[in-house]
Amino acid sequence: MPVKRESFVHTLRAQWLGQQMRQLREERGFTLKQAAEFLERDFSSIARWERAEWPFRRGVVVSLLDLYGEHDGRERNRFIQLAEDAWRTDRWDDDYDELVDASFIDFPWLESRAEQICSWDAMLMPGLMQTRDYAEAVIRNAEGKKATDYSVGKWLQLRLDRQRVLGHDSGLRVAAVIDESVLRRPVGAPTLMLGQLRHLGELLLRSNIDVRILPAGVGLHPGLDGSFVVFNMPRPYPEVAYAEMLGGRRFMESPKSKRYAVAYDRLREAALDPRESAKLIARIAEDLS
């Protein structure tokens, strides 16, 4: 009689847990074979868990944490909580603020795995498209009085490292709808903005990048609640929407992410096409030169 396979909805929580368990195993110097022998399982089972093809069970995670010598209470709770919630696809921030640091399912992780990133940018240039000088000015403003050369340098390098995903060989497609006011908002000296606008114009020439400008003449539109990003993930993983506000960050999977995907499509339809967008960027840059 054939064995009935358990149905499992693939989630980003499960993928994140698998990656974290693999990283911990490798850091502690254990092979798949050693982990499998400890659990009295076939080593292919461990590999499937780490790839999130099968969900990690709570008991398996606890046993592997013991094997890997992870005895820190906070870290153990983090892994165990992820195992218990591997099936969930709802908001992540409220559940994990007390257990997981800011690296949990963060921008670099999503950007490195997405097939396409779509953003609506109402206030600032998209992070992936910022020049070094523009990014530094934005970071210093965000850090405020607590900004130091070290802290600013750290965040700046992280942002520049993230931009590597724009390479042609990465396969990532990036699309952005940018409000016209972003092009005209003075961030630093006019020469800084001129460099940023010229950089944006150069990015428009890349085949994997689509930039459209929402002209100031457009009144009511679906992006009035603020900027957001939609990460389209490879199957079978769901899309993820991200929104940021003074009160915190929000990461949402389907079905809550759908409203953001729909809003982005509507913004794209209301925006100028790539050719007209390029002309507007060039005109504003010319005014600064």
Side-chain angles (χ1 to χ4, degrees):
M1 184 175 181
V3 177
K4 183 179 179 181
R5 290 187 177 273
E6 181 181 8
S7 176
F8 173 57
V9 177
H10 293 79
T11 69
L12 287 171
R13 277 187 175 95
Q15 190 182 30
W16 178 258
L17 174 60
Q19 175 185 299
Q20 293 293 290
M21 291 298 293
R22 176 180 178 179
Q23 181 177 322
L24 181 62
R25 173 178 60 77
E26 293 175 344
E27 287 176 353
R28 301 298 166 85
F30 287 90
T31 64
L32 284 172
K33 182 178 180 181
Q34 289 171 324
E37 289 176 348
F38 179 78
L39 294 176
E40 297 182 342
R41 300 272 190 143
D42 186 270
F43 78 91
S44 62
S45 297
I46 311 295
R48 290 189 179 97
W49 285 328
E50 291 182 349
R51 293 195 300 265
E53 294 176 7
W54 293 349
F56 264 111
R57 294 295 190 185
R58 183 184 189 279
V60 171
V61 169
V62 171
S63 295
L64 289 176
L65 291 176
D66 291 342
L67 174 64
Y68 301 156
E70 181 55 75
H71 303 303
D72 180 84
R74 181 180 174 85
E75 281 297 288
R76 289 179 69 89
N77 286 342
R78 179 170 75 89
F79 283 106
I80 293 169
Q81 187 68 58
L82 278 171
E84 291 178 345
D85 290 346
W87 56 274
R88 294 182 60 180
T89 60
D90 53 359
R91 269 171 36 186
W92 306 330
D93 54 312
D94 290 342
D95 296 329
Y96 294 98
D97 278 348
E98 297 301 319
L99 289 174
V100 186
D101 64 23
S103 67
F104 173 59
I105 313 283
D106 60 6
F107 254 74
W109 191 78
L110 286 168
E111 286 171 342
S112 66
R113 284 158 179 77
E115 290 184 335
Q116 183 181 36
I117 300 173
C118 301
S119 68
W120 155 239
D121 300 275
M123 302 301 293
L124 295 168
M125 293 286 178
L128 290 178
M129 302 181 187
Q130 294 177 6
T131 63
R132 171 184 286 271
D133 291 341
Y134 188 100
E136 181 175 352
V138 170
I139 292 168
R140 287 192 180 277
N141 177 72
E143 290 282 283
K145 293 182 179 179
K146 65 180 182 179
T148 65
D149 289 342
Y150 174 78
S151 65
V152 171
K154 180 183 68 173
W155 289 114
L156 178 59
Q157 190 58 53
L158 174 62
R159 184 157 303 185
L160 296 176
D161 288 345
R162 284 170 44 199
Q163 294 179 1
R164 294 175 184 170
V165 299
L166 292 179
H168 293 289
D169 57 348
S170 70
L172 174 67
R173 291 173 290 121
V174 177
V177 177
I178 304 173
D179 193 85
E180 182 180 342
S181 64
V182 174
L183 308 183
R184 300 184 182 278
R185 177 166 292 110
V187 175
T191 53
L192 187 156
M193 282 303 301
L194 179 58
Q196 174 62 65
L197 292 175
R198 286 175 173 170
H199 177 65
L200 187 62
E202 292 169 359
L203 290 176
L204 276 167
L205 301 176
R206 297 192 186 184
S207 60
N208 63 326
I209 297 178
D210 181 272
V211 175
R212 297 167 189 254
I213 307 302
L214 187 73
V218 176
L220 298 177
H221 57 75
L224 293 175
D225 289 329
S227 303
F228 60 83
V229 181
V230 177
F231 298 91
N232 293 317
M233 310 301 289
R235 292 184 177 182
Y237 298 102
E239 66 190 4
V240 179
Y242 171 87
E244 187 172 321
M245 60 211 75
L246 285 176
R249 308 185 304 167
R250 292 289 183 268
F251 289 96
M252 293 155 282
E253 293 181 51
S254 182
K256 293 181 181 178
S257 60
K258 291 298 181 185
R259 61 179 296 189
Y260 290 91
V262 171
Y264 177 81
D265 289 340
R266 291 177 58 196
L267 285 163
R268 186 176 183 276
E269 291 175 0
L272 300 174
D273 63 31
R275 177 173 295 184
E276 290 302 314
S277 295
K279 290 180 179 178
L280 178 56
I281 294 170
R283 286 200 301 269
I284 297 175
E286 186 176 352
D287 291 341
L288 291 172
S289 59

